[in-house]
Amino acid sequence: MPPHTRSNSRLISLTCAAVATILLGGNLTSLTGQDLQNGDFVVGPEYEIDPDLTDRGNPKGKSFEFKIRLADSKIFRGDDVTLDPRKKVRTYRRIFVYVPAAYRDGTPAPFLVIHDGPNRMDLVRHALDNLTISKNPDRQLPPFIVIAVENGGDDSYGSQRGLEYDTMSDRLARFIDQEVLPAVVNNMEIKKAFPHIALTDDPWGRGVMGCSSGGAAALTMGWFRPDLFRRLITYSGTFVDQQDSDAPEEADYPLGAWEYHSGMKLIENSEKKPLRIFTHVAENDLRNQDRAETHHNWVMANRRTAAALKAKGYDYRFIFSRASKHCERKVFEATLADTLVWMWQDYQPE
């Protein structure tokens, strides 16, 4: 059934929406009754939760939670020289894991990393419970494992979270791959339930999702390490200049994540990478009236990022949510099931 007939909040065609054309810029792709198309779409201003993001009584998977100590990390120890001593750094970070009922122990599982864990993990769990057993071939999910990782603490310039999420480097991708994933498969409680648990090495089986700086981090992980992560979901992405001015990466990326779409125009001027990318911005997102020279207008940044992805020929989807704010839950409730289906549509297990 076409999305616009299921709910007023579902993805709808923009071809006749002149006001949306002004907001988004350029030509817009219409939705032709499928959940699987690339393109630019709008949702709102009214929102309803997608039934597939609710408990529909289907078999449940298993949830786990454990901690890892920052001081034990070789990549994010909590003592970086760029950190502001006035900003709190966590001693431990929590890791939340959900193994869906459809997963079979010993199978190399695809997985989705969620930044700012356990952010929106409840919605992803429901999507897995409902859509891994879907009979509709156009609305199915593979039984991927969810790994939600807590940030290192605080926010913005000089913070551990900012270091992890807003820095233009491969550090976060290496941290997840080299430290978090081994901690998951070697956790005693998880191994007790799944003695042969395994995570895929196939980068097309490895997704990342985040909102705000966590969204920027999702793109950055794939951008710098497409050999590790290729399915990227960003809501209200912080594609602005929020990288620490004293970070060594400033020498190569002086405007931080703003460089993806402006300044050096990384997306346009780089060779196309093997990535599948979802982006979103809210109508009333952060600093939406700021001029371009501030390098801090979230709406502008995400519009430009989507346009660059489209021009470069990426598999991409961009959603503009009307009557909504930064990382607002109602947007996730209305769109996340469609987003996950679109993101994983062509996945082939090993």
Side-chain angles (χ1 to χ4, degrees):
M1 182 181 295
H4 62 278
T5 63
R6 288 198 300 266
S7 165
N8 289 336
S9 64
R10 310 292 276 186
L11 300 181
I12 60 176
S13 170
L14 295 183
T15 51
C16 297
V19 64
T21 304
I22 295 172
L23 288 168
L24 299 174
N27 295 321
L28 302 171
T29 303
S30 63
L31 193 65
T32 58
Q34 302 181 57
D35 292 332
L36 304 180
Q37 277 193 268
N38 293 349
D40 303 324
F41 306 100
V42 67
V43 295
E46 297 177 355
Y47 295 86
E48 297 177 7
I49 189 168
D50 188 315
D52 286 326
L53 298 177
T54 65
D55 186 349
R56 308 188 77 171
N58 291 316
K60 307 295 187 294
K62 294 184 181 298
S63 297
F64 305 89
E65 179 182 339
F66 63 93
K67 297 179 180 179
I68 57 176
R69 197 165 69 131
L70 268 71
D72 294 334
S73 173
K74 296 181 180 179
I75 299 173
F76 291 126
R77 293 178 46 85
D79 59 359
D80 196 90
V81 295
T82 65
L83 297 179
D84 184 336
R86 296 169 297 180
K87 295 198 169 186
K88 185 177 180 179
V89 177
R90 301 186 201 277
T91 302
Y92 294 88
R93 77 170 80 233
R94 295 176 297 168
I95 310 295
F96 307 83
V97 178
Y98 185 69
V99 183
Y103 172 69
R104 296 295 173 256
D105 190 29
T107 304
F111 60 88
L112 176 70
V113 174
I114 301 179
H115 294 316
D116 290 316
N119 187 35
R120 310 310 182 209
M121 190 172 180
D122 59 326
L123 299 177
V124 179
R125 286 200 311 264
H126 288 317
L128 283 167
D129 296 343
N130 296 326
L131 296 177
T132 54
I133 60 174
S134 171
K135 302 302 183 184
N136 181 351
D138 290 331
R139 195 163 175 79
Q140 296 176 339
L141 289 177
F144 61 81
I145 291 174
V146 187
I147 304 169
V149 183
E150 193 171 46
N151 65 66
D154 219 300
D155 191 23
S156 195
Y157 302 105
S159 70
Q160 181 66 32
R161 179 178 184 267
L163 172 68
E164 294 167 7
Y165 292 173
D166 294 314
T167 304
M168 295 287 283
S169 77
D170 73 342
R171 277 193 277 180
L172 184 59
R174 289 188 291 108
F175 170 68
I176 297 296
D177 182 65
Q178 297 172 17
E179 299 189 7
V180 173
L181 301 185
V184 169
V185 297
N186 291 309
N187 178 266
M188 292 182 61
E189 289 299 313
I190 297 176
K191 287 186 72 68
K192 184 178 179 180
F194 301 95
H196 306 291
I197 191 169
L199 299 174
T200 184
D201 291 327
D202 176 8
W204 283 115
R206 294 166 156 226
V208 191
M209 171 176 138
C211 199
S212 193
S213 289
L219 178 57
T220 295
M221 284 176 62
W223 185 262
F224 285 94
R225 294 303 301 267
D227 59 316
L228 297 178
F229 304 96
R230 293 186 179 177
R231 299 184 188 272
L232 315 174
I233 298 174
T234 82
Y235 279 86
S236 290
T238 301
F239 302 126
V240 302
D241 183 13
Q242 204 149 292
Q243 181 172 262
D244 277 339
S245 59
D246 55 350
E249 288 82 3
E250 282 282 283
D252 294 324
Y253 308 100
L255 296 180
W258 190 263
E259 302 288 13
Y260 281 123
H261 54 84
S262 197
M264 63 178 57
K265 297 186 177 181
L266 274 178
I267 293 172
E268 290 184 41
N269 295 329
S270 299
E271 183 178 350
K272 183 182 173 185
K273 300 173 185 287
L275 300 172
R276 187 170 182 81
I277 305 168
F278 169 91
T279 62
H280 153 271
V281 76
E283 181 177 10
N284 302 311
D285 223 306
L286 300 179
R287 298 178 63 167
N288 59 83
Q289 299 300 314
D290 275 23
R291 299 185 304 277
E293 54 265 32
T294 68
H295 310 129
H296 262 86
N297 183 318
W298 265 250
V299 176
M300 182 183 298
N302 279 275
R303 284 173 51 198
R304 288 178 172 181
T305 299
L309 293 171
K310 180 178 181 180
K312 199 69 177 181
Y314 277 93
D315 279 327
Y316 86 102
R317 173 174 278 195
F318 172 59
I319 289 180
F320 179 86
S321 59
R322 294 182 291 183
S324 57
K325 298 178 182 179
H326 187 71
C327 291
E328 197 161 1
R329 183 178 175 88
K330 66 182 181 182
V331 177
F332 283 87
E333 291 179 339
T335 65
L336 187 55
D338 285 339
T339 298
L340 292 169
V341 169
W342 176 84
M343 180 57 65
W344 289 96
Q345 65 181 271
D346 59 351
Y347 176 66
Q348 297 295 325
E350 298 174 69

